[in-house]
Amino acid sequence: VTDSNDGELRRIAAEVYGGAGMEDDIMTNAAADHASPFAGPSSTGEDWKEELSKPIEVVRLTMKDATGDTPLASFELIPEQNGAATATTDTPLGTFRRLKMSISQIDGDGDSIFPRASVVACIRFQKEPSTSHSCSNNEVELCVDSLQLPTIENDIVSDNTHDEVGKVLPENWPMKEWRQIGDLEGKSVVLQLGFKRLPRGMVPAGCTLLRGYTLSQAFLSQPCVTN
């Protein structure tokens, strides 16, 4: 499925690239203030593009509780090999491509996402054979303090020994929620995460917040550089 025949993909692309006609409620920009680590005073105008255009090896997502102290789940995102899943768009900063990512959960109990989870995304680029470890920037980190997914807070804490499962979710909750980390204004790669509403929700043992979404889609946008 590509942007040309999928309205949802066109809308999320518009959020990254500044297109018109975007539905206001489809995306939350989660980290617009995270600038590119390659855009400092010592960089020339196009250095950040060179660094961020390298092939992506893996994106590692770490989700923690609201305090940022307790790990809850982690995921690995890897670019899919299907060429049809890659879309390119011309922007005021040059051409960008958007990669569809496969999702693998590495750890964490179950697939329901803590609605107030903080997220750290570590984007690792492939190393060039001629590049030494000492002079190469091979990772970029993006983060957000809270996903702010829809939830309901129980008046009392759930039983400390048993999860409350099979919870009916409100009918007005969206079937899909999108969250974006990074933006073009910060001369950064941009990560978009799609969360799908579950058939039923759950409240883990010892918690109060209803969980009703799971991570189902991911796209990463990066600049294209032609030699």
Side-chain angles (χ1 to χ4, degrees):
V1 177
T2 62
D3 290 2
S4 62
N5 54 19
D6 188 295
E8 183 177 50
L9 295 189
R10 288 198 300 273
R11 289 193 295 270
I12 69 169
E15 175 66 14
V16 174
Y17 305 127
M22 169 87 180
E23 289 188 5
D24 292 339
D25 61 350
I26 192 140
M27 182 79 67
T28 296
N29 189 335
D33 58 341
H34 288 275
S36 167
F38 308 113
S42 62
S43 299
T44 62
E46 300 297 304
D47 280 356
W48 67 277
K49 289 184 182 180
E50 294 284 349
E51 295 289 350
L52 298 181
S53 66
K54 293 183 293 185
I56 302 295
E57 179 178 317
V58 65
V59 177
R60 290 194 171 90
L61 290 182
T62 302
M63 297 187 181
K64 298 184 179 182
D65 65 2
T67 66
D69 297 328
T70 304
L72 299 175
S74 61
F75 301 83
E76 280 193 351
L77 314 179
I78 297 175
E80 293 189 354
Q81 298 303 311
N82 181 5
T86 302
T88 59
T89 301
D90 291 329
T91 79
L93 294 178
T95 302
F96 271 68
R97 61 172 164 257
R98 196 167 79 262
L99 307 173
K100 185 176 182 180
M101 313 291 285
S102 65
I103 301 172
S104 299
Q105 185 166 352
I106 305 304
D107 58 39
D109 296 329
D111 57 358
S112 60
I113 300 297
F114 177 54
R116 299 294 180 262
S118 63
V119 179
V120 174
C122 181
I123 298 97
R124 178 177 295 176
F125 301 94
Q126 295 179 13
K127 277 184 174 294
E128 297 179 3
S130 60
T131 302
S132 68
H133 288 268
S134 60
C135 64
S136 175
N137 292 309
N138 285 295
E139 293 185 356
V140 172
E141 187 174 280
L142 302 173
C143 59
V144 59
D145 293 335
S146 176
L147 288 173
Q148 293 294 320
L149 293 171
T151 188
I152 296 174
E153 186 167 8
N154 290 348
D155 293 332
I156 58 175
V157 177
S158 65
D159 187 284
N160 282 322
T161 57
H162 297 88
D163 295 339
E164 296 182 27
V165 298
K167 305 281 286 186
V168 176
L169 300 176
E171 293 183 359
N172 63 347
W173 279 17
M175 294 303 297
K176 181 71 68 68
E177 287 276 328
W178 287 94
R179 297 295 181 264
Q180 177 173 311
I181 310 178
D183 62 27
L184 297 195
E185 291 183 2
K187 294 184 178 180
S188 170
V189 292
V190 179
L191 182 64
Q192 293 173 305
L193 303 175
F195 297 88
K196 181 177 67 176
R197 174 177 154 167
L198 293 166
R200 295 278 178 169
M202 60 92 68
V203 180
C207 298
T208 61
L209 294 181
L210 176 65
R211 301 185 183 188
Y213 287 85
T214 187
L215 180 61
S216 62
Q217 286 181 283
F219 292 89
L220 188 138
S221 299
Q222 64 176 153
C224 301
V225 175
T226 57
N227 296 323

